[in-house]
Amino acid sequence: MSMVTTHEAFVHPALFYRTEQEYTRQTVAFLREGLTNGEPMAVAVPGPNLELIKAGLGGDAEGILFLDMTEAGRNPGRIIPKVLRGFADAHPKGRVRIIGEPIWAGRSAVEYPACAQHEALINAAFEGRAVTILCPYDEVRLEPQVIADARVTHPTLISGDGRESVSGVYDWQEVVDRYNQALVPAPDAAAFSYGGEDLPAVRQFALAQAMRLGMTGDRLMDVELAAAELTTNSVVHGGGRGTLAVWAEQGQLVCEVRDAGRLADPLAGRRPPERGQLGGRGLMLVHYVADLVRVHTGYDGTTVRFYLNL
């Protein structure tokens, strides 16, 4: 596997594999190329695939950072700031090489839109940076729509036998827009409409509803933190008012905040704010504590929905 790169260019290929042998052969070749070039490297893939790569590398695995993506990237909105940028920013000199597999068989239909947007937004987050991120896709176990979306979010495509091609349908912004889906609250959701004077009360409302629905322990602190950040954002940046709704579905607590604000930056909450920047930290904190975050923004306002496992 050999991809044309420059010191400045961001490289973002998708690897389509059908067998464990293809997966191991291509990922190990990718990493050995990085070893030859002296590049810092990280691998963030599901646990079983981590073991395939480690076995394929043998003694060459030493010095590579390995992360189980089912844990580090459970919330796809956390992958760019915590996994990818976290590693790349720690190695600012020279090219960095990463394998990231954020979509695996078993990802739910609720999670997938955030996964697809994540893969698209990588292109914006790393534009102009000397970083190579290889994203493997299991052609056998993943849905055809997932494979089709990967061809739109990755400018370079690699087959299981190592052949490279340029994607003729690459258009990452199209995927971001397509999965900017309207979010409809559950009909039985408990709701609280708030303004600036209601922030302590709406936070207590979120906690009370979480406890009523079965949330316990330290996760109650996560509910309080995320609800406080989002409702404060509504007051400061979202027109001064909003509505918080809470319900449970499929073993998860769901909290949703709606307001009249509009997120102009598609990477809001997915990249660390610059030094001295006002705002930008609240939504990222929500990504860090939640198991999933879904966002819909439009001219009529913004909805942020976060999920916590009960």
Side-chain angles (χ1 to χ4, degrees):
M1 180 182 299
S2 178
M3 288 161 291
V4 177
T5 64
T6 69
H7 181 70
E8 298 83 10
F10 173 53
V11 181
H12 186 208
L15 166 65
F16 299 111
Y17 67 94
R18 301 185 65 84
T19 66
E20 289 184 353
Q21 291 74 21
E22 287 182 351
Y23 183 91
T24 303
R25 182 168 57 250
Q26 299 305 329
T27 55
V28 168
F30 175 82
L31 293 170
R32 290 196 189 282
E33 187 175 74
L35 287 171
T36 299
N37 296 338
E39 297 169 357
M41 293 187 292
V43 177
V45 302
N49 288 347
L50 274 180
E51 297 309 314
L52 291 175
I53 293 173
K54 289 178 181 178
L57 285 168
D60 289 335
E62 185 176 353
I64 298 174
L65 174 65
F66 291 95
L67 299 170
D68 187 338
M69 187 65 100
T70 65
E71 298 175 3
R74 178 78 262 171
N75 173 7
R78 193 162 54 224
I79 298 173
I80 289 175
K82 194 168 186 179
V83 178
L84 304 181
R85 279 285 302 266
F87 185 75
D89 291 354
H91 300 87
K93 295 182 180 179
R95 177 166 292 276
V96 170
R97 184 172 292 234
I98 302 170
I99 299 177
E101 189 170 4
I103 304 175
W104 56 86
R107 280 286 201 188
S108 70
V110 175
E111 292 174 309
Y112 179 67
C115 293
Q117 287 187 317
H118 156 75
E119 284 285 67
L121 289 169
I122 288 177
N123 298 287
F126 287 93
E127 183 179 6
R129 292 195 60 171
V131 177
T132 303
I133 301 177
L134 176 70
C135 301
Y137 283 82
D138 187 337
E139 286 191 291
V140 175
R141 301 178 66 198
L142 294 175
E143 295 293 329
Q145 185 60 58
V146 176
I147 302 302
D149 286 343
R151 297 178 182 279
V152 183
T153 55
H154 295 78
T156 302
L157 311 176
I158 302 173
S159 63
D161 61 5
R163 288 178 297 171
E164 298 179 21
S165 60
V166 175
S167 174
V169 293
Y170 172 64
D171 184 359
W172 66 264
Q173 185 65 61
E174 188 274 332
V175 168
V176 172
D177 293 342
R178 176 155 42 91
Y179 287 106
N180 182 31
Q181 299 167 339
L183 301 170
V184 180
D188 59 347
F192 188 115
S193 295
Y194 58 88
E197 68 281 6
D198 302 311
L199 290 178
V202 72
R203 185 172 67 247
Q204 290 304 312
F205 171 82
L207 276 174
Q209 294 302 317
M211 288 187 285
R212 179 181 68 83
L213 294 167
M215 186 66 72
T216 61
D218 292 343
R219 301 241 72 182
L220 287 170
M221 297 175 61
D222 293 336
V223 174
E224 183 176 19
L225 174 61
E229 292 292 342
L230 292 177
T231 53
T232 299
N233 278 351
S234 293
V235 171
V236 177
H237 305 292
R241 303 196 62 82
T243 300
L244 180 142
V246 186
W247 68 95
E249 63 179 43
Q250 299 181 350
Q252 291 184 306
L253 179 78
V254 187
C255 296
E256 176 183 283
V257 170
R258 294 173 178 264
D259 59 41
R262 184 167 187 266
L263 289 176
D265 179 6
L267 281 166
R270 295 180 187 246
R271 63 178 167 193
E274 302 296 331
R275 179 175 297 180
Q277 176 182 332
L278 296 177
R281 292 171 175 81
L283 185 53
M284 190 170 72
L285 285 173
V286 176
H287 277 294
Y288 274 34
V289 303
D291 295 303
L292 174 67
V293 178
R294 295 282 304 278
V295 179
H296 172 261
T297 189
Y299 291 105
D300 57 344
T302 293
T303 302
V304 179
R305 180 180 293 179
F306 66 91
Y307 300 72
L308 294 167
N309 295 332
L310 287 168

